[in-house]
Amino acid sequence: KYAFEWKEKYGDIIYSQIAKLGCSVDWDRVTFTMNDDYYAAVIKVFIDLYKKGLIYRGARMINWDVEAKTALSDEEVEYRDVTSKLYYVKYKLEDSDDYISIATQRPETIMGDTGVCVNPTDKRYNHLIGRKVIVPLINKAVPIVADDYIDKDFGTGVLKITPAHDINDYNIGLKHNLPLIDILNDDGTLSEQASILIGEERFAARKKIIELLKEADLLIKEQSYNSRLGYSQRTNSVVEPKISTQWFVNMKALAQPALEAVLSGEINIHPGEKFLATYKYWLENVKDWCISRQLWWGQQIPAWYDADGKFVVAQDEEKAKELFEAQYSVANAELKQDEDVLDTWFSSWLWPIQVFKGITAPGNDDINYYYPTSVLVTGQDIIFFWVSRMIMAGMEFKNIKPFSDVYFTGMVRDKQGRKMSKQLGNSPDLLELIDKYGADAVRFGIMISSPAGNDLLFDEASLEQGRNFNNKLWNALKLVKIWQDKSGIKGADEKNTGNDFAISWFDERLKEVKANIAVLIDQFKLSEALKQLYSLIWDDFCSWYLEWIKPGFNQSLSKQKIEKTLYFFEELMQLLHPFMPFITEEIYHQLKERNNDLTIKQVSLTHAGNKTILTQGNVLKQAITAIRDVRNKNQLKFADKIDLAIQTNDKDLYKEVNIILRKQVNAESLRFDDASNGIAVVINTDKIFVETTTKIDQSVQKLKLLKDLEHLKSFIISLEKKLDNDKFVANAKPEVLELELKKKNDTQAKIAAIQESLQQIEGGI
């Protein structure tokens, strides 16, 4: 009862976070693995696998958490690089004053030694194979055996064998019939079998053992040593290898279909270049899964024992008694259920199936409609715990994959790269962040900082960027609504003011980005998609398009043009909606009255933009920026009239944008002229001369051109190095090679244009 109360309290916090973030989930389907129907599904699956011989009970070397006093699976052990010590200990030969030096990291396990081992090819010890040594401190004789496993170059080339406390020692012990002596209790203290220091905690015992070895003149030396040590994910305590009778799943048979499903492309992992090899390696080298836990919270293992340890597996006691009688010929036996519970992942691996009651009510309408699902989004840290096992369960119990794509998010870390944790105090409260910045800003800040599969360093500055983006959207909405209120009145834009080009350009730019985003989302590159969309809205729509079509003083936009602008705004909100659902839904309804919600509106199909119009738009933006830069650097006010002379081989490129360009930079005229004494700016291979009657210092322009020239020369050197690389040229795709050559030609043309401008400035000076 208490555990369920705890779950309701903290589970509800998580649910409230999900809801406040705006996640579109079906709240009618909230499921918990300890619910009655889910509990029944887990038991049913256990029994099914046991009958198939895929679940078995046996004594094996397992990982033991001495703090939680429970077994762990291999995947629940985190290995860390640590600096420890090697202790060189004397093991005296039986009936001799001579000794062998043995290096050990764990002197507290000496009392569990049942042999020592050397490499059969090690000439230093050949003559000792078959003799015995005396285990230090407890004076017990154990044999010297030979095995190829021993590394002659590690330590002294001799290994003490403690079969009960090391998996490799255990395997050597099995080969050489060495007995098991478990010198540790479940809580990590020394047991009675240790003979000395009984009840001492293992690491405290290590210190005392070292002192006892010194007193007995059995410790030769200590040496620092870098090693990997296993820690429990559950309690962060050092894991203890231990022989224990537990329940296991035979993973080899289950792993193969799950491996083939991914390698064949039936299931796609994103980003595959980062996680596919990891998934493949784990499944190819998978070990049997220890599924029993010595905890009291979970699905209780459906095994029933008599007083002698004989058992049957059944869903309840009544069925167990029937099976026991059939198997052991004992009627109405007094049976006791196994007190252990199942690993939490043994219930979680059924999630895609049992959330639709696919185990307890196979063939129901929901499971038939929804299974298999489409995309699993999860953290990279549970690729083995959950993802691979869900695929195994799907292939085993439904004979089909559970989903088509798996998208691994990165881990959120602090600025120092550390994991978020309450202990470090570096984990922000999500609900507080939402209250401070807004849910959309939090979503934006996290997603724009999260390249697919890569960890992100959390910084509230990205949330501030999201909040500023919200403000930008609101301000754009206010401006467009003002224009909407005034549209069609006297002075409406019916003359050629450049608006037609602005609309055509943004229409094509929208198509281009929409097509790009569709590809990026298909590839699960969500951060890249959001960055393109952010630039489209902030730069292209707000900074350029709205500026270009802005009506003049006492003028208004025609209804046709305002409707087109509203359409653009609506399309942008639909593209942005998956990333920022709240503000986009609100703006969508404020743009015009509607009966439907944005959240259910389907994105329209599109094609790549018109390259000619897009090029004209890029040239227009570059020209406006460059001419404004000339004004600023030469202290020319916007009211100061200028004239423009353009030197170009493509006059049509500028004719379409003539009106907008002059309006944006306040130019009285624009002509095509190869000769001018104005300030030259280079746009690609074209030159635009800014002419003014105001006296200006051309040395400022000279410095800028020299800086640009230096940059371009460095760039062309890097291009030439790449193109001179035979390996690159041989392996590059034709389109890549063509692009690099085009870059080189364009850069050379820009350099020539800048050099010509510099010569003109020199001549003028």
Side-chain angles (χ1 to χ4, degrees):
K1 180 181 176 183
Y2 173 82
F4 266 96
E5 287 174 356
W6 186 94
K7 173 261 174 186
E8 291 298 327
K9 177 181 177 181
Y10 291 98
D12 284 351
I13 291 174
I14 295 170
Y15 288 152
S16 65
Q17 291 175 340
I18 292 172
K20 205 152 189 177
L21 271 172
C23 298
S24 299
V25 300
D26 186 346
W27 292 105
D28 292 334
R29 296 184 188 277
V30 172
T31 302
F32 179 44
T33 53
M34 289 292 285
N35 289 349
D36 290 344
D37 65 297
Y38 207 117
Y39 195 114
V42 175
I43 300 304
K44 182 178 179 181
V45 163
F46 183 99
I47 295 169
D48 177 70
L49 292 177
Y50 179 75
K51 288 178 178 178
K52 292 175 179 176
L54 295 176
I55 283 182
Y56 63 93
R57 184 173 183 263
R60 290 186 51 181
M61 180 71 70
I62 52 97
N63 304 293
W64 185 262
D65 185 330
V66 300
E67 191 171 323
K69 300 185 186 65
T70 183
L72 302 171
S73 68
D74 292 341
E75 292 71 43
E76 291 171 288
V77 180
E78 288 184 349
Y79 288 92
R80 305 172 194 167
D81 293 322
V82 297
T83 300
S84 54
K85 285 188 176 181
L86 278 176
Y87 300 92
Y88 289 77
V89 181
K90 296 178 183 177
Y91 280 64
K92 290 186 177 181
L93 293 167
E94 187 180 40
D95 301 325
S96 172
D97 290 333
D98 293 335
Y99 64 84
I100 298 175
S101 174
I102 299 180
T104 178
Q105 296 180 64
R106 305 188 65 201
E108 70 276 12
T109 65
I110 282 174
M111 296 80 73
D113 291 351
T114 57
V116 298
C117 192
V118 298
N119 192 298
T121 64
D122 195 334
K123 295 178 181 179
R124 295 173 296 174
Y125 305 114
N126 275 351
H127 64 290
L128 298 177
I129 297 171
R131 292 187 61 179
K132 291 186 176 182
V133 295
I134 304 300
V135 177
L137 303 181
I138 61 171
N139 299 317
K140 180 179 68 175
V142 298
I144 300 173
V145 298
D147 199 283
D148 291 333
Y149 171 79
I150 304 303
D151 182 354
K152 293 186 288 186
D153 298 322
F154 177 76
T156 63
V158 187
L159 184 71
K160 75 184 195 71
I161 306 300
T162 319
H165 298 286
D166 183 275
I167 184 60
N168 298 311
D169 290 10
Y170 175 73
N171 291 331
I172 292 174
L174 284 178
K175 286 171 66 176
H176 298 279
N177 297 313
L178 300 178
L180 290 166
I181 300 177
D182 188 351
I183 56 95
L184 287 175
N185 295 314
D186 287 349
D187 62 358
T189 58
L190 296 191
S191 69
E192 290 187 4
Q193 292 195 71
S195 303
I196 60 174
L197 301 178
I198 297 168
E200 288 280 352
E201 190 274 331
R202 54 185 170 158
F203 296 122
R206 176 181 296 182
K207 294 178 182 178
K208 292 185 178 181
I209 292 287
I210 293 166
E211 292 304 315
L212 290 173
L213 290 170
K214 287 179 180 178
E215 291 172 10
D217 193 29
L218 294 173
L219 184 65
I220 301 170
K221 66 176 180 178
E222 299 177 15
Q223 177 183 314
S224 292
Y225 175 68
N226 294 325
S227 63
R228 286 176 65 77
L229 199 59
Y231 289 81
S232 167
Q233 283 191 340
R234 186 184 297 274
T235 63
N236 203 36
S237 62
V238 175
V239 167
E240 198 64 54
K242 182 180 177 69
I243 294 294
S244 180
T245 299
Q246 303 288 341
W247 290 89
F248 297 88
V249 176
N250 184 331
M251 296 292 277
K252 288 291 183 185
L254 294 171
Q256 193 57 37
L259 177 61
E260 290 173 359
V262 171
L263 295 183
S264 68
E266 189 178 357
I267 298 174
N268 294 298
I269 288 177
H270 309 275
E273 65 276 8
K274 187 165 186 178
F275 298 113
L276 181 57
T278 304
Y279 179 90
K280 179 175 180 285
Y281 179 83
W282 184 77
L283 283 178
E284 286 178 341
N285 298 275
V286 71
K287 297 177 182 177
D288 285 358
W289 176 14
C290 177
I291 57 171
S292 46
R293 297 290 180 270
Q294 290 63 52
L295 306 170
W296 54 270
W297 173 245
Q299 291 88 3
Q300 195 171 349
I301 290 175
W304 304 80
Y305 304 83
D306 71 357
D308 297 327
K310 296 193 292 291
F311 71 90
V312 292
V313 170
Q315 65 189 47
D316 54 39
E317 187 174 4
E318 182 181 348
K319 184 65 176 175
K321 287 185 176 183
E322 292 177 12
L323 288 174
F324 202 89
E325 182 176 359
Q327 191 167 332
Y328 299 108
S329 302
V330 178
N332 200 29
E334 191 170 325
L335 302 176
K336 183 179 180 181
Q337 188 174 359
D338 197 315
E339 292 184 353
D340 289 354
V341 298
L342 288 160
D343 177 11
T344 185
W345 300 105
F346 191 82
S347 54
S348 299
W349 74 328
L350 305 177
W351 192 259
I353 305 172
Q354 185 52 29
V355 77
F356 303 116
K357 308 289 192 298
I359 300 293
T360 50
N364 70 75
D365 290 343
D366 277 358
I367 191 69
N368 289 341
Y369 181 81
Y370 288 108
Y371 190 95
T373 58
S374 54
V375 182
L376 170 71
V377 181
T378 188
Q380 56 191 346
D381 52 331
I382 53 176
I383 184 171
F384 310 131
F385 290 113
W386 198 35
V387 178
S388 61
R389 290 173 182 161
M390 280 194 286
I391 297 173
M392 291 180 197
M395 305 304 279
E396 176 68 19
F397 301 112
K398 290 292 293 177
N399 296 314
I400 191 172
K401 62 184 180 182
F403 29 71
S404 299
D405 294 276
V406 181
Y407 173 67
F408 287 111
T409 66
M411 190 75 69
V412 182
R413 300 180 182 274
D414 66 13
K415 292 181 185 178
Q416 300 175 43
R418 301 175 302 177
K419 275 187 179 182
M420 296 292 187
S421 76
K422 292 179 181 177
Q423 187 177 7
L424 291 174
N426 62 347
S427 182
D429 186 297
L430 176 62
L431 296 178
E432 288 180 6
L433 291 176
I434 291 174
D435 288 341
K436 183 177 180 181
Y437 295 100
D440 283 328
V442 172
R443 291 169 64 108
F444 174 93
I446 295 295
M447 280 188 278
I448 205 156
S449 308
S450 310
N454 291 327
D455 291 354
L456 73 95
L457 303 184
F458 178 76
D459 189 343
E460 284 196 32
S462 62
L463 276 58
E464 291 174 9
Q465 183 186 5
R467 184 170 59 188
N468 293 340
F469 189 34
N470 275 337
N471 290 337
K472 190 79 168 179
L473 293 171
W474 283 122
N475 290 334
L477 175 66
K478 290 176 185 176
L479 182 63
V480 171
K481 294 297 283 184
I482 289 172
W483 293 348
Q484 185 182 21
D485 291 341
K486 294 181 178 179
S487 68
I489 64 173
K490 186 178 180 182
D493 165 34
E494 298 299 344
K495 295 180 292 183
N496 183 11
T497 60
N499 285 351
D500 289 336
F501 174 79
I503 288 172
S504 296
W505 167 75
F506 192 78
D507 196 27
E508 296 301 328
R509 182 77 180 109
L510 178 63
K511 291 175 185 176
E512 180 184 43
V513 174
K514 190 186 284 190
N516 291 346
I517 288 174
V519 172
L520 290 169
I521 289 180
D522 280 346
Q523 296 173 346
F524 294 88
K525 295 178 179 178
L526 307 183
S527 177
E528 290 86 338
L530 180 55
K531 285 175 183 175
Q532 284 209 20
L533 187 50
Y534 174 76
S535 177
L536 177 69
I537 294 172
W538 188 289
D539 297 326
D540 294 321
F541 184 69
C542 296
S543 299
W544 292 114
Y545 173 74
L546 294 182
E547 186 68 24
W548 290 351
I549 67 158
K550 181 171 68 177
F553 183 70
N554 282 336
Q555 289 185 324
S556 65
L557 292 176
S558 66
K559 287 186 177 181
Q560 181 184 6
K561 290 183 174 61
I562 197 67
E563 283 298 320
K564 194 67 177 177
T565 302
L566 292 172
Y567 162 76
F568 290 152
F569 213 145
E570 179 182 316
E571 289 288 292
L572 292 173
M573 291 305 95
Q574 184 167 16
L575 289 173
L576 186 61
H577 185 68
F579 302 96
M580 304 173 74
F582 294 107
I583 190 170
T584 51
E585 190 74 73
E586 181 67 21
I587 290 176
Y588 177 72
H589 284 278
Q590 289 206 23
L591 288 171
K592 63 173 69 171
E593 289 190 18
R594 317 170 188 272
N595 295 321
N596 66 311
D597 285 338
L598 182 57
T599 191
I600 61 170
K601 187 171 182 285
Q602 297 300 304
V603 177
S604 57
L605 297 175
T606 188
H607 56 81
N610 182 299
K611 295 297 182 184
T612 301
I613 294 177
L614 290 172
T615 300
Q616 288 176 312
N618 285 334
V619 168
L620 178 59
K621 290 191 289 184
Q622 291 176 57
I624 292 170
T625 301
I627 295 167
R628 285 174 177 172
D629 188 50
V630 168
R631 278 187 175 277
N632 290 334
K633 288 182 176 177
N634 293 281
Q635 298 181 335
L636 292 173
K637 298 176 183 177
F638 186 75
D640 295 336
K641 294 290 185 180
I642 61 172
D643 294 295
L644 302 177
I646 300 179
Q647 180 182 325
T648 179
N649 293 323
D650 188 0
K651 295 179 182 179
D652 291 338
L653 190 67
Y654 292 89
K655 287 178 180 177
E656 285 287 330
V657 302
N658 179 355
I659 296 173
I660 295 178
L661 177 57
R662 287 193 293 110
K663 185 173 72 171
Q664 291 291 301
V665 299
N666 194 22
E668 285 193 319
S669 67
L670 184 154
R671 71 181 190 279
F672 297 100
D673 191 345
D674 292 347
S676 174
N677 293 322
I679 304 168
V681 293
V682 179
I683 307 297
N684 298 322
T685 58
D686 299 339
K687 283 193 286 187
I688 300 177
F689 297 94
V690 179
E691 300 173 339
T692 177
T693 56
T694 305
K695 189 174 182 180
I696 58 176
D697 181 2
Q698 285 204 324
S699 62
V700 175
Q701 182 64 14
K702 181 181 178 182
L703 287 173
K704 183 180 184 305
L705 289 172
L706 286 170
K707 186 177 179 181
D708 291 344
L709 184 63
E710 183 181 353
H711 170 74
L712 290 171
K713 284 183 175 179
S714 298
F715 181 60
I716 205 164
I717 288 172
S718 67
L719 284 172
E720 287 174 341
K721 281 182 180 179
K722 188 183 288 187
L723 291 169
D724 288 341
N725 186 323
D726 293 338
K727 188 175 181 181
F728 169 76
V729 173
N731 295 323
K733 294 180 179 179
E735 59 269 23
V736 172
L737 198 58
E738 184 181 348
L739 180 62
E740 294 302 311
L741 288 168
K742 185 177 185 304
K743 285 181 186 177
K744 180 182 176 181
N745 294 333
D746 289 347
T747 305
Q748 287 174 331
K750 289 178 184 178
I751 288 173
I754 289 176
Q755 288 173 333
E756 186 180 338
S757 296
L758 285 168
Q759 288 174 358
Q760 290 177 345
I761 291 175
E762 290 288 345
I765 291 173

